[in-house]
């Protein structure tokens, strides 16, 4: 039993650390980046709005796996500049997740903005609030509240998507499970991996449910 | 000097002319009820006074100061200074759902950097509208009538000289209109200058000192409640009143 712990479970838990590290880096950077993209889409400057829309269309419209492959293996193959585009595999994967998830978060926040009644802007205006006061005090808090369930959903997807690291050979949870399965010729490690993913997503779900209750405004 | 002077106000949405040459004045302490069928332009007219709609022609002067003259708007700071003299109460209340009642009242004066004792004003005004106990409640937990009373208190926090009401009771269940009308009546008795777009004929008749009947984007007829309700001059006014006074 102690053997099984050190040869199978411990490496998988170490792999899960990689999963969590990627998750936190991706979420911490892609949420604000997604928000900036939302602002760009809604910008009065046509060029910004146009570029942001194209960006979101491409990132949402192509597989994340393909994007990861391009960033990890594709860029270094470009003649001439490829050698400068070779970065650490894990860093490259983080970059891929951030760029992809920012596009999804941008769409979620855009939906949140659209849901805000025009009466809110009008009430703020007749009370003499400036545009920036209205945005900070009235619009953004409501936008984040509306977006919360979708952000929760996307975050759970992100936890599971970290398994794509397997495809770019960054050792994470699934990688160690796969190694153990092949070595021991047993499917048990798959189920242990599943259980670890499940524990992570359940904790995340509980956290977001708490956030939703905390900001219920009732 | 009139508190509000509107001259030849015109407003179109595309080809649709919704306000045709509206001219009227509001004196200090006036309580003006604007009545008329749906689509007559009453709300659009009211919203134009506080720059929620851009007009296409005409002049609007607030306390002698025009913020739009012959259809041309002044600089933003001039507009803001003029419209800051008015408060507005909306049909749908438009309270900020993420803020408590107290914070709904206090946000604007705090943002404006008001020096006055904001907390004391809040408690006075909540008492005035009968909602002292609801200071920490969120709008969602209040009835429509309570929300509208909070909205009135919120508008009063900015010390407006004029209060505009855009169908303040139209979104309320009939049994809740009374509590809102009562607050408005109290304000009228304290000589607040008010313009009220309403379908409440009883309120127009008993509280307003002047009633304006609008139809098809024009002021058809205006006068004291006794004149307008007792002895309407125009066929359109008569037809409207026949349908709405039961």
């Amino acid at each position: 039993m102690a053997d099984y712990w050190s040869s199978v479970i411990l490496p998988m838990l170490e792999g899960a650390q990689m999963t969590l590290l990627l998750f936190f880096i991706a979420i911490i950077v892609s949420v604000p980046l997604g928000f900036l993209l939302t602002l760009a889409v809604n910008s009065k400057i046509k060029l910004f709005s146009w570029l942001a829309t194209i960006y979101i269309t491409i990132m949402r419209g192509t597989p994340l796996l393909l994007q990861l492959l391009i960033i990890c293996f594709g860029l270094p193959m470009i003649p001439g500049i490829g050698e400068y585009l070779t970065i650490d595999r894990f860093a490259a994967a983080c970059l891929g997740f951030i760029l992809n998830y920012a596009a999804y978060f941008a769409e979620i926040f855009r939906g949140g903005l659209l849901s805000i009644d025009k009466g809110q802007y009008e009430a703020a205006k007749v009370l003499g609030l400036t545009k920036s006061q209205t945005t900070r005090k009235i619009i953004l808090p409501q936008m984040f509240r509306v977006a919360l369930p979708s952000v929760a959903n996307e975050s759970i997807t992100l936890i599971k998507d970290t398994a794509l690291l397997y495809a770019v050979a960054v050792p994470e949870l699934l990688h160690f499970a796969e190694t153990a399965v092949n070595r021991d010729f047993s499917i048990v490690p798959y189920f242990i991996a599943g259980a670890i993913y499940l524990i992570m997503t359940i904790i995340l779900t509980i956290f977001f449910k708490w956030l939703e209750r905390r900001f219920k405004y009732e | 000097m009139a508190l509000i002077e509107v001259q030849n106000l015109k407003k179109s949405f595309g080809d649709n002319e919704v306000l045709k040459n509206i001219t009227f004045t509001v004196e200090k302490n006036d309580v003006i009820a604007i009545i008329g069928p749906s689509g007559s332009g009453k709300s659009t007219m009211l919203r134009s006074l506080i720059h929620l709609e851009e007009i296409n022609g005409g002049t609007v002067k607030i306390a002698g100061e025009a913020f739009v003259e012959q259809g041309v708007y002044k600089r933003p700071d001039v507009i803001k200074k003029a419209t800051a003299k008015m408060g507005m109460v909306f049909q749908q209340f438009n309270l900020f759902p993420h803020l408590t009642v107290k914070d709904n009242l206090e946000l604007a004066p705090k943002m404006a950097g008001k020096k006055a004792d904001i907390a004391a004003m809040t408690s006075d005004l909540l008492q005035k509208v009968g909602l002292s106990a609801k200071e920490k409640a969120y709008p969602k937990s209040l009835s429509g009538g309570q929300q509208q009373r909070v909205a009135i208190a919120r508008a009063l926090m900015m010390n407006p000289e004029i209060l505009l009401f855009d169908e303040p009771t139209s979104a309320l269940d009939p049994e809740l209109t009374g509590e809102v009308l009562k607050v408005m009546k109290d304000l009228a008795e304290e000589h607040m200058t008010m313009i009220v777009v309403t379908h409440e004929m009883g309120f127009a008749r008993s509280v307003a000192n002047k009633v304006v009947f609008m139809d098809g984007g024009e002021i058809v007829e205006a006068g004291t409640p006794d004149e307008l309700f007792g002895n309407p001059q125009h066929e359109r006014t008569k037809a409207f009143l026949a349908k709405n006074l039961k």
Side-chain angles (χ1 to χ4, degrees):
Chain A
M1 193 59 212
D3 254 15
Y4 199 73
W5 171 261
S6 63
S7 72
V8 178
I9 299 180
L10 209 56
M12 282 168 71
L13 287 177
E14 273 170 31
Q17 279 181 11
M18 202 60 120
T19 297
L20 285 173
L21 186 64
L22 173 67
F23 170 78
F24 283 112
I25 292 174
I27 206 113
I28 287 168
V29 184
S30 63
V31 166
L33 193 63
F35 178 61
L36 290 178
L37 275 171
T38 307
L39 294 183
V41 170
N42 287 314
S43 168
K44 287 203 183 86
I45 304 167
K46 278 279 169 299
L47 181 69
F48 282 3
S49 156
W50 193 68
L51 288 174
T53 305
I54 290 177
Y55 176 83
I56 291 168
T57 307
I58 293 173
M59 295 316 267
R60 289 204 314 160
T62 59
L64 173 56
L65 181 55
L66 175 63
Q67 294 164 16
L68 288 174
L69 291 175
I70 289 175
I71 293 173
C72 292
F73 305 122
L75 295 184
M77 286 164 62
I78 300 173
I81 56 167
E83 57 182 303
Y84 304 107
L85 298 175
T86 312
I87 47 176
D88 172 70
R89 200 63 63 69
F90 180 72
C94 285
L95 184 65
F97 273 88
I98 287 166
L99 294 179
N100 180 272
Y101 269 80
Y104 280 95
F105 285 124
E107 277 302 281
I108 288 171
F109 292 141
R110 197 173 64 86
L113 273 188
L114 287 176
S115 77
I116 294 170
D117 187 73
K118 88 179 200 311
Q120 294 289 304
Y121 296 90
E122 292 185 348
K125 183 173 173 184
V126 299
L127 286 166
L129 298 191
T130 64
K131 282 224 169 70
S132 104
Q133 288 168 344
T134 305
T135 306
R136 282 185 293 118
K137 299 288 181 179
I138 308 296
I139 305 308
L140 294 189
Q142 293 186 54
M143 182 198 81
F144 283 116
R145 179 59 188 89
V146 173
L148 204 49
S150 306
V151 170
N153 199 33
E154 209 53 38
S155 303
I156 287 167
T157 307
L158 174 56
I159 289 262
K160 294 179 294 174
D161 272 358
T162 57
L164 290 171
L165 282 179
Y166 178 75
V168 291
V170 175
E172 47 64 76
L173 176 51
L174 190 61
H175 165 88
F176 291 109
E178 178 75 6
T179 309
V181 165
N182 289 331
R183 188 188 57 210
D184 304 344
F185 206 67
S186 150
I187 64 163
V188 174
Y190 280 155
F191 286 100
I192 296 172
I196 296 174
Y197 280 117
L198 200 56
I199 289 168
M200 290 192 285
T201 54
I202 287 172
I203 291 172
L204 199 62
T205 306
I206 291 170
F207 169 70
F208 275 105
K209 287 275 180 262
W210 174 80
L211 266 189
E212 280 179 38
R213 271 200 313 277
R214 168 77 181 66
F215 295 104
K216 207 169 176 193
Y217 306 128
E218 271 176 7
Chain B
M1 178 186 66
L3 209 42
I4 302 181
E5 272 182 82
V6 176
Q7 290 155 2
N8 308 107
L9 189 154
K10 293 185 189 70
K11 164 81 184 167
S12 305
F13 291 114
D15 289 338
N16 182 20
E17 200 179 17
V18 290
L19 295 174
K20 306 164 185 164
N21 235 12
I22 302 271
T23 296
F24 71 98
T25 56
V26 179
E27 302 295 333
K28 197 167 164 40
N29 305 339
D30 267 349
V31 176
I32 298 183
I34 301 178
I35 61 172
S38 300
S40 57
K42 324 182 281 294
S43 287
T44 308
M45 198 279 292
L46 193 74
R47 290 163 55 82
S48 302
L49 298 181
I50 196 160
H51 196 228
L52 288 176
E53 304 285 349
E54 296 250 325
I55 61 174
N56 306 109
T59 300
V60 180
K61 282 187 194 169
I62 309 294
E65 197 78 53
F67 73 83
V68 49
E69 198 156 25
Q70 315 276 6
V72 180
Y73 279 88
K74 307 279 185 188
R75 290 200 324 267
D77 57 314
V78 177
I79 297 175
K80 192 160 181 176
K81 189 164 163 260
T83 54
K85 293 186 165 57
M86 293 174 278
M88 176 134 177
V89 174
F90 299 88
Q91 182 177 352
Q92 301 295 340
F93 332 131
N94 295 348
L95 292 179
F96 305 129
H98 61 301
L99 300 179
T100 61
V101 165
K102 184 176 161 67
D103 290 340
N104 260 280
L105 264 64
E106 296 186 350
L107 179 67
K110 281 181 177 161
M111 289 292 119
K114 291 235 166 175
K115 294 281 190 306
D117 188 349
I118 293 173
M121 263 184 101
T122 303
S123 80
D124 284 354
L125 285 171
L126 284 180
Q127 191 171 10
K128 187 184 189 124
V129 299
L131 289 169
S132 295
K134 298 290 185 184
E135 209 173 67
K136 294 197 173 65
Y138 284 98
K140 214 197 251 175
S141 66
L142 303 179
S143 72
Q146 291 172 328
Q147 290 192 49
Q148 194 61 297
R149 286 186 280 151
V150 172
I152 293 171
R154 182 177 69 176
L156 291 170
M157 287 295 284
M158 298 304 281
N159 290 317
E161 292 176 40
I162 307 153
L163 261 190
L164 310 180
F165 293 83
D166 189 5
E167 304 201 22
T169 58
S170 298
L172 298 176
D173 292 333
E175 72 269 22
L176 299 177
T177 57
E179 58 191 72
V180 173
L181 293 174
K182 162 83 170 57
V183 169
M184 293 167 62
K185 192 166 176 239
D186 291 348
L187 285 171
E189 279 165 6
E190 292 165 24
H191 306 297
M192 176 57 111
T193 308
M194 294 157 61
I195 308 179
V196 186
V197 169
T198 188
H199 293 291
E200 292 284 338
M201 295 303 146
F203 177 85
R205 195 165 198 169
S206 62
V207 181
N209 66 329
K210 200 163 141 193
V211 181
V212 174
F213 172 67
M214 283 181 69
D215 188 21
E218 312 172 292
I219 292 178
V220 177
E221 192 169 347
T224 66
D226 284 346
E227 287 167 358
L228 205 109
F229 290 108
N231 186 21
Q233 301 298 306
H234 288 259
E235 284 309 314
R236 281 194 280 177
T237 318
K238 286 177 192 165
F240 176 78
L241 291 177
K243 248 191 278 177
N244 288 277
L245 288 179
K246 282 162 209 145

